Amino acid sequence: MEAIEPQSLKKRPLDLFSPLDQQLAPPDSESKKIRVYYKVNAEYGGIQESIAQPQTKNSATKNQSQEPGLALLPGPSVPSRGSSRNFSTSSLMERMESKWPRPDWHAPWKNYRVISGHLGWVTSIAVDPSNTWFATGSADRTIKIWDLATGVLKLTLTGHIQQVRALAISNKHTYMFSAADDKQVKCWDLEQNKVIRSYHGHLSGVYCLSNHPDDNNMLVTGGRDSVCRVWDIRKQTQIHALGHDNTVCSVFTTETDPYQVVTGSHDSTIKMWDVRYYGKTLLTTLTNHKKSVRAMAPHPKQRAFASASADNIKKFTLPKGQFCHNMLSQQKTIINALAVNEEGVMVTGGDNGSMWFWDWKSGHNFQQLQTIVQPGSLDSEAGIYALTYDITGTRLISCEADKTIKMWKQDQNATQETHPLNFRPPKDIRRF
């Protein structure tokens, strides 16, 4: 009897020697159409076709109804490969408008006068409320008064024994206040051109000073002893001592909030104080900066202020100190000075001699300047220590390390065609 071969032995040689071994099955055209159409519908199903004409849509719908495979999933037709139109996702998506405010156009600024006369770094400046003269303090221990229109020296005051760090002029009295590294805060009577009061209390150099614009009897000073002191100019007595953890290098008061004092320090914090009712209250501490807050300036009209540090320039609201936004560029240097005028032009000056102009509303940097040192000075002396606008806001005065005072104004011949606004809104908005 002949042995029966198992079925597995018949299958093995067939798999080994068959010509169809390891070959794919023939493609199914119907299943391919369904698969491709499903992918197109999943990708573009929610986007309404605005490119194709109505007749094209109707004809495409008729073609879909005639094909049995495409009737499973209704949706838009697949564009033909021969079409010259762009059917990418970006062309089909609706472009969203940026919520970032568009900056106003400002004319560029240019230098028109250089004043020399100091024998040391010019570190402080103050403009008279009558807008006829301004005063500068220097490392040569003198205070000089200049004519604002002509730049001619009118007066030189001596009395400090170290460099003068800060100046302030009263808008009610004929007084000028000065602070220096000799721990002294002096009150000058400009009718007699001499010191009539001295305020003693700081344990180290005094770096910043502010006279209250509304209550002219209040004077605020901050220094290297990490304390901001509030004085009554009539009694020569200290009213409050507002503490920080490091040097207090910037301070200001506003007319809209008469009892609020804002201080910035090398401990990278900004503190907002309430000094009413013969008591001090710390309202809030802003920790947004990561480096020393060397400069602050309030807006002349809006209830807001800007603070400058080596990490960034930030804008806050008053009186609560809510963070608004950062400036859209980084100056990448130590910023010593900051000023804002009523037209919304903010300017910052750095240790490397860079002067950047910003639009207040949007934070857009529309101009970058580099100061030129006077002949005979080193290139490393291109530093800016103080900035201020005059009362009208049309002239800018800078105090620099090359012992000069430079005056700036807007270019009257500039237009939006000659100096276009190159602005791109930020993709992401940092909220810290």
Side-chain angles (χ1 to χ4, degrees):
M1 185 176 177
E2 187 178 357
I4 301 175
E5 187 177 3
Q7 189 69 19
S8 59
L9 296 178
K10 291 182 180 181
K11 186 177 180 181
R12 182 181 177 88
L14 183 63
D15 293 338
L16 291 175
F17 302 105
S18 174
L20 302 176
D21 184 39
Q22 296 182 354
Q23 291 186 7
L24 298 176
D28 187 5
S29 60
E30 294 297 328
S31 62
K32 183 179 180 181
K33 289 180 181 180
I34 296 174
R35 185 172 64 255
V36 171
Y37 189 82
Y38 176 78
K39 289 184 178 180
V40 172
N41 186 71
E43 185 73 21
Y44 305 105
I47 303 174
Q48 184 178 1
E49 288 284 350
S50 60
I51 301 175
Q53 299 294 332
Q55 297 179 358
T56 309
K57 289 185 177 181
N58 296 333
S59 60
T61 308
K62 292 181 181 178
N63 296 334
Q64 292 175 14
S65 61
Q66 292 175 1
E67 297 180 7
L70 300 181
L72 296 174
L73 294 172
S77 60
V78 182
S80 61
R81 292 184 179 180
S83 176
S84 60
R85 296 182 181 272
N86 183 14
F87 288 98
S88 63
T89 307
S90 60
S91 64
L92 294 175
M93 291 179 62
E94 183 181 359
R95 185 176 295 274
M96 300 292 293
E97 294 184 0
S98 176
K99 295 182 180 180
W100 198 268
R102 184 168 180 81
D104 299 328
W105 182 84
H106 302 284
W109 293 70
K110 63 179 182 180
N111 177 242
Y112 73 96
R113 181 178 293 149
V114 178
I115 304 172
S116 60
H118 279 290
L119 302 179
W121 295 351
V122 189
T123 54
S124 57
I125 186 170
V127 178
D128 178 57
S130 63
N131 208 34
T132 56
W133 55 271
F134 65 94
T136 56
S138 171
D140 61 4
R141 301 167 296 177
T142 63
I143 301 171
K144 292 182 181 293
I145 296 178
W146 312 82
D147 186 83
L148 187 60
T150 61
V152 177
L153 178 63
K154 301 176 68 174
L155 185 66
T156 300
L157 301 174
T158 58
H160 286 285
I161 59 175
Q162 290 191 29
Q163 68 170 328
V164 182
R165 288 278 190 171
L167 292 172
I169 301 173
S170 174
N171 57 2
K172 184 179 179 181
H173 307 105
T174 59
Y175 296 159
M176 181 177 66
F177 302 94
S178 62
D181 280 347
D182 55 4
K183 312 176 189 177
Q184 296 292 320
V185 180
K186 296 181 181 295
C187 176
W188 303 77
D189 188 347
L190 297 178
E191 291 182 345
Q192 307 176 36
N193 295 333
K194 67 177 185 180
V195 178
I196 59 173
R197 298 186 187 97
S198 293
Y199 304 96
H200 303 278
H202 278 284
L203 306 178
S204 188
V206 188
Y207 282 7
C208 56
L209 181 148
S210 176
N211 183 32
H212 200 285
D214 187 26
D215 185 4
N216 289 272
N217 296 321
M218 187 173 75
L219 182 68
V220 184
T221 59
R224 208 171 65 181
D225 55 359
S226 307
V227 177
C228 175
R229 303 181 188 273
V230 183
W231 308 85
D232 187 344
I233 65 173
R234 300 165 296 183
K235 301 178 181 179
Q236 300 180 243
T237 57
Q238 175 184 308
I239 303 175
H240 301 299
L242 315 176
H244 271 273
D245 295 333
N246 209 329
T247 302
V248 181
C249 51
S250 55
V251 63
F252 73 89
T253 55
T254 60
E255 188 175 1
T256 55
D257 303 297
Y259 296 102
Q260 189 174 44
V261 177
V262 183
T263 57
S265 171
H266 283 187
D267 60 9
S268 71
T269 63
I270 300 172
K271 292 188 178 183
M272 310 181 77
W273 307 83
D274 190 345
V275 294
R276 74 180 74 191
Y277 304 131
Y278 297 97
K280 60 178 182 179
T281 303
L282 177 61
L283 298 178
T284 182
T285 301
L286 307 178
T287 58
N288 300 70
H289 285 286
K290 302 298 181 292
K291 300 290 183 180
S292 301
V293 185
R294 293 175 178 264
M296 296 189 301
H299 194 278
K301 290 184 176 180
Q302 301 179 13
R303 300 187 69 182
F305 73 96
S307 60
S309 177
D311 57 354
N312 216 323
I313 303 170
K314 301 178 184 291
K315 191 166 74 173
F316 301 90
T317 62
L318 286 172
K320 295 184 178 180
Q322 296 177 348
F323 174 70
C324 298
H325 62 83
N326 292 322
M327 298 297 114
L328 300 184
S329 305
Q330 289 186 356
Q331 200 163 345
K332 295 182 179 179
T333 185
I334 296 176
I335 300 175
N336 296 317
L338 187 149
V340 190
N341 66 359
E342 294 183 356
E343 296 180 356
V345 178
M346 184 175 69
V347 58
T348 54
D351 253 1
N352 58 356
S354 61
M355 185 184 298
W356 287 23
F357 292 87
W358 312 79
D359 177 69
W360 173 268
K361 180 174 65 174
S362 63
H364 171 61
N365 172 230
F366 66 90
Q367 187 182 9
Q368 300 179 9
L369 293 178
Q370 182 70 30
T371 60
I372 302 175
V373 297
Q374 67 172 344
S377 299
L378 301 174
D379 291 337
S380 59
E381 290 183 319
I384 300 174
Y385 288 137
L387 286 168
T388 188
Y389 287 99
D390 67 345
I391 304 302
T392 62
T394 58
R395 287 174 290 188
L396 176 67
I397 310 172
S398 63
C399 302
E400 305 189 6
D402 61 349
K403 309 172 188 176
T404 63
I405 305 160
K406 294 184 174 67
M407 302 186 71
W408 311 76
K409 65 179 180 180
Q410 287 182 316
D411 189 359
Q412 301 296 330
N413 299 323
T415 61
Q416 298 190 27
E417 288 74 20
T418 59
H419 295 79
L421 185 65
N422 299 320
F423 171 69
R424 290 184 178 180
K427 295 182 180 180
D428 54 342
I429 302 176
R430 292 177 59 185
R431 289 298 181 187
F432 57 91

